[in-house]
Amino acid sequence: MSLAARLLLAFGLVAIIATAFVGLTLREASREIIEGGFAERIDAAHAGVRQQLAWEADALRDLLPPLCRHDTFVDKAHVELERAKGDPDAMDPGSRIALGRLVPSQAKALRLDELSLVAGDGSVLGAEDAARLGARDKRLAELIQAPGGAPRLRPAKAGGEPSLEVHCALSNHGVTIGLVGARRIGPVLARIGEAYHVRLTAAREGELAPRSSEAEVVRVLHFAEIPGLDVVASVPRDPLRQALARLDRAIALTGATVLAIAVAMAVVLARSLSRPLVALARETREVMSGAPRRVEGRGGREIADLAAAFNATIDELAAMRKRLAATERIAARREVARQIAHEIKNPLAPIRAAVETLRRLRQRDDPAFDDYFAEATSTVLNEVHRIANIVTEFTQFARLPPPNLTPIDLVAVARGVITLHAAPASAEATSSAGLSSGAGLSSGTGVTSGAPSPRVELVADPIPEVSADRDQLIQVLTNLVQNGLDAASAVRRDPRVSVTIGPLPNDRVRIVVRDNGPGVAEDMVPRLFEPYATSKEKGTGLGLAIAQRIVFEHGGEITYRKAKKGGAVFEIWLPIAGPPLLEKPLGDTTVRPRPPDAPRS
């Protein structure tokens, strides 16, 4: 994932998580605040109702007793009832009609919802409701017999509502008459509930108290001032839902805005950060594919520190490469000197023996001198020619020119080499294969002269052009193909060599050369790429050493492994961009074994 994508993802997640966290916290806090507002409104309504009911109770307590003590209206009714000897039915009809008319006006004057003039037996002599006249109510009879005092709660009747009820009585000469007044609680609750936006209703006796739900908040209020009075306070949750819906829309809009700002910031920051990194990577790739040079870090102190560290590493690598090149050159010269001394020592022995024999024969004037002279001089010339060939091949190995890097079509190069080897091999072609030298290949029983022509195949996948030396890669491929043909022809009538070319990760290509021969002898594998390591009678063992050196100087690797079904498999890995950090080609190189972690096909 690119840096820009990571920054976009990170900023987007931060924006979403932050908005969600803040939004949920704000939403919960708003819910609690609004719920708290509901509770405060109910508490305020509770206090208001308590205060109003206390005032109503105080007003009602002192409202009727003065009427029973000295009001002419009550006195007149008592006199008329006393004349009838306490029997309401024996009262003068005109007097009862007059009393019935006076009670409603008196109730209106006292602002009472109900007012009843009651005889001692509970008969209603007057009431604001004319339908109640003449009715007899035992509860009222018992009530006026009781002493007056603080108002009491009168429970709601069927279809009615609770009220605050007070009474007073006048008893004289065995005749009792009383006034019973009531003021409904409903209007008080409605007035106070409207002021605090709370719905207040008196609880009915015997009914279960309602509970809070998603639709409304409910609380039952109790009043010590009015025993038995319970009021149900409820507040609808519609304002809460509407407020939360508006808050959700605001949070969503804010989140979208924050996300857009975060994405814009991520894009700007990603560009500002990735631009110097991309430039540094481009310069690094140029360094890896060309001569070491310093890179310039732009875009911040961290990028500058990275560039400085990279430059220091490049300088150290260049210095190490110079030291390593010098060390390798010294080691290679020693190895070449040792190999030359070893190889030259062998032909010197017969030369010395031939010369010493000629000297002895000459000193004795031996008649066999003339006969031996031709044989001895021929031996000396052959060995001298052998020494010259050895020196020439070692000189070629030591003076291998540096790679001339140019973009080449590797598949076309391999196709040209294969075309040359696909034709029937002649005796001269076989004998002139010293260029490939057949290093490290085991031999077996030969085949007859009627063997079929060698078969060479090419399997190639599309690959880009490779920065390499065309002639040197032709030399490497020729060496490997010819070695494979020589090894397979020694043991099979159908020798085959296949060359496979394909891409590899990390901008590399792979060349695989397989044959169906016997493969390399196990005792030769450790010395396969060493100079003069060969199993051929006339080989110098420099072919694979030269091939390895060419591959190494191209920044690649060459390895050997035995095929599962027999035969030799040589694999070459080459960088597409050419050798990295190549100041100049190494003058000499030592043999490097195959790395243990090299990839296999």
Side-chain angles (χ1 to χ4, degrees):
M1 186 180 294
S2 64
L3 176 62
R6 291 183 180 182
L7 286 176
L8 286 173
L9 181 61
F11 275 64
L13 287 177
V14 169
I16 293 174
I17 293 174
T19 302
F21 178 76
V22 174
L24 291 177
T25 303
L26 182 61
R27 195 178 192 276
E28 189 61 27
S30 300
R31 174 187 289 275
E32 292 178 358
I33 291 173
I34 296 175
E35 294 276 6
F38 291 163
E40 291 176 357
R41 285 159 55 184
I42 292 176
D43 291 339
H46 189 189
V49 171
R50 177 180 284 110
Q51 182 179 4
Q52 184 67 25
L53 290 179
W55 182 85
E56 292 285 349
D58 289 341
L60 288 174
R61 181 185 296 110
D62 301 328
L63 187 63
L64 294 183
L67 296 179
C68 291
R69 286 196 297 268
H70 48 71
D71 187 83
T72 57
F73 161 67
V74 177
D75 291 342
K76 182 178 179 181
H78 186 268
V79 169
E80 291 294 333
L81 185 59
E82 187 177 359
R83 287 178 183 175
K85 298 182 180 181
D87 183 8
D89 295 334
M91 291 179 63
D92 180 59
S95 298
R96 293 192 62 171
I97 293 174
L99 290 175
R101 291 177 178 176
L102 287 175
V103 170
S105 60
Q106 193 70 24
K108 186 176 181 181
L110 297 175
R111 294 188 303 107
L112 292 174
D113 297 316
E114 297 180 12
L115 183 62
S116 301
L117 180 63
V118 183
D121 61 354
S123 299
V124 178
L125 302 178
E128 84 291 345
D129 184 7
R132 296 174 57 204
L133 293 176
R136 182 170 297 179
D137 191 339
K138 291 181 61 177
R139 187 186 71 82
L140 295 180
E142 295 175 355
L143 182 63
I144 62 176
Q145 298 298 328
R152 67 175 64 184
L153 177 67
R154 189 185 70 184
K157 299 179 180 179
E161 57 180 309
S163 304
L164 288 178
E165 190 176 58
V166 293
H167 71 279
C168 63
L170 175 63
S171 296
N172 197 6
H173 301 104
V175 177
T176 301
I177 194 171
L179 284 174
V180 179
R183 188 171 290 173
R184 292 192 297 271
I185 297 176
V188 175
L189 299 181
R191 184 172 63 254
I192 296 177
E194 184 178 359
Y196 293 100
H197 303 286
V198 178
R199 187 162 63 91
L200 300 173
T201 56
R204 295 184 177 275
E205 187 177 2
E207 292 184 356
L208 293 177
R211 296 181 179 181
S212 298
S213 63
E214 291 295 329
E216 59 181 358
V217 179
V218 179
R219 191 197 298 176
V220 178
L221 307 180
H222 304 282
F223 298 91
E225 297 82 358
I226 310 295
L229 176 63
D230 291 333
V231 175
V232 178
S234 61
V235 178
R237 294 182 183 268
D238 291 339
L240 173 61
R241 288 194 293 268
Q242 294 171 1
L244 292 180
R246 290 194 301 270
L247 182 60
D248 291 339
R249 290 193 295 268
I251 292 173
L253 180 61
T254 303
T257 304
V258 172
L259 181 60
I261 295 174
V263 170
M265 291 179 61
V267 171
V268 174
L269 186 59
R271 289 181 177 178
S272 63
L273 289 178
S274 62
R275 189 179 296 113
L277 291 177
V278 170
L280 182 60
R282 182 177 60 253
E283 295 181 2
T284 303
R285 285 193 296 269
E286 293 176 357
V287 169
M288 296 298 294
S289 60
R293 60 184 178 86
R294 301 178 66 82
V295 298
E296 182 180 357
R298 297 180 297 272
R301 186 180 64 184
E302 293 79 3
I303 303 299
D305 292 342
L306 176 61
F310 181 80
N311 291 331
T313 303
I314 291 297
D315 294 340
E316 182 64 24
L317 287 176
M320 291 177 60
R321 189 173 183 84
K322 291 179 180 179
R323 293 193 296 269
L324 179 61
T327 303
E328 288 182 344
R329 283 194 293 270
I330 294 173
R333 288 166 183 165
R334 290 177 178 174
E335 179 66 19
V336 170
R338 186 185 67 83
Q339 293 287 354
I340 292 177
H342 174 74
E343 296 302 323
I344 293 179
K345 180 186 263 188
N346 291 334
L348 284 179
I351 292 175
R352 179 177 179 178
V355 172
E356 288 178 348
T357 302
L358 286 175
R359 285 174 60 87
R360 287 196 304 271
L361 293 176
R362 180 64 177 172
Q363 288 175 359
R364 296 197 306 261
D365 289 329
D366 193 322
F369 177 81
D370 293 334
D371 296 334
Y372 184 72
F373 181 80
E375 179 182 352
T377 54
S378 177
T379 298
V380 170
L381 289 176
N382 288 336
E383 295 300 329
V384 169
H385 180 68
R386 181 181 172 191
I387 292 174
N389 287 339
I390 292 173
V391 172
T392 299
E393 293 209 19
F394 272 104
T395 302
Q396 179 186 5
F397 175 66
R399 293 182 179 178
L400 187 67
N404 181 22
L405 302 178
T406 58
I408 65 171
D409 185 348
L410 186 58
V411 177
V413 170
R415 187 176 294 112
V417 173
I418 290 172
T419 300
L420 292 176
H421 289 80
S426 63
E428 291 81 8
T430 304
S431 63
S432 64
L435 175 64
S436 61
S437 76
L441 293 176
S442 62
S443 60
T445 60
V447 296
T448 63
S449 59
S453 300
R455 181 183 175 192
V456 185
E457 298 177 335
L458 173 64
V459 179
D461 293 331
I463 60 172
E465 289 188 335
V466 179
S467 179
D469 188 309
R470 181 186 186 89
D471 295 334
Q472 291 187 0
L473 289 188
I474 290 176
Q475 184 178 3
V476 171
L477 290 175
T478 300
N479 183 290
L480 296 178
V481 171
Q482 189 61 55
N483 281 352
L485 290 175
D486 292 344
S489 299
V491 296
R492 303 178 67 98
R493 296 181 59 87
D494 58 340
R496 290 194 306 273
V497 175
S498 66
V499 180
T500 304
I501 299 177
L504 280 179
N506 301 324
D507 296 329
R508 297 181 302 164
V509 295
R510 179 177 61 178
I511 306 171
V512 181
V513 180
R514 294 181 177 86
D515 63 62
N516 62 345
V520 178
E522 293 296 333
D523 59 339
M524 289 295 299
V525 173
R527 301 185 297 116
L528 187 59
F529 295 101
E530 292 182 4
Y532 210 72
T534 182
S535 61
K536 285 188 175 183
E537 295 180 358
K538 297 182 180 180
T540 59
L542 292 176
L544 288 180
I546 293 174
Q548 185 192 52
R549 178 170 174 178
I550 291 173
V551 172
F552 282 176
E553 290 189 353
H554 278 75
E557 295 287 342
I558 180 171
T559 62
Y560 162 81
R561 63 182 174 86
K562 191 171 184 178
K564 295 180 179 179
K565 297 182 180 181
V569 179
F570 288 90
E571 298 183 12
I572 298 174
W573 298 277
L574 293 175
I576 294 176
L581 298 177
L582 183 62
E583 287 185 285
K584 61 180 180 179
L586 302 180
D588 297 284
T589 184
T590 56
V591 177
R592 288 176 285 184
R594 175 190 177 196
D597 57 347
R600 295 185 173 228
S601 61

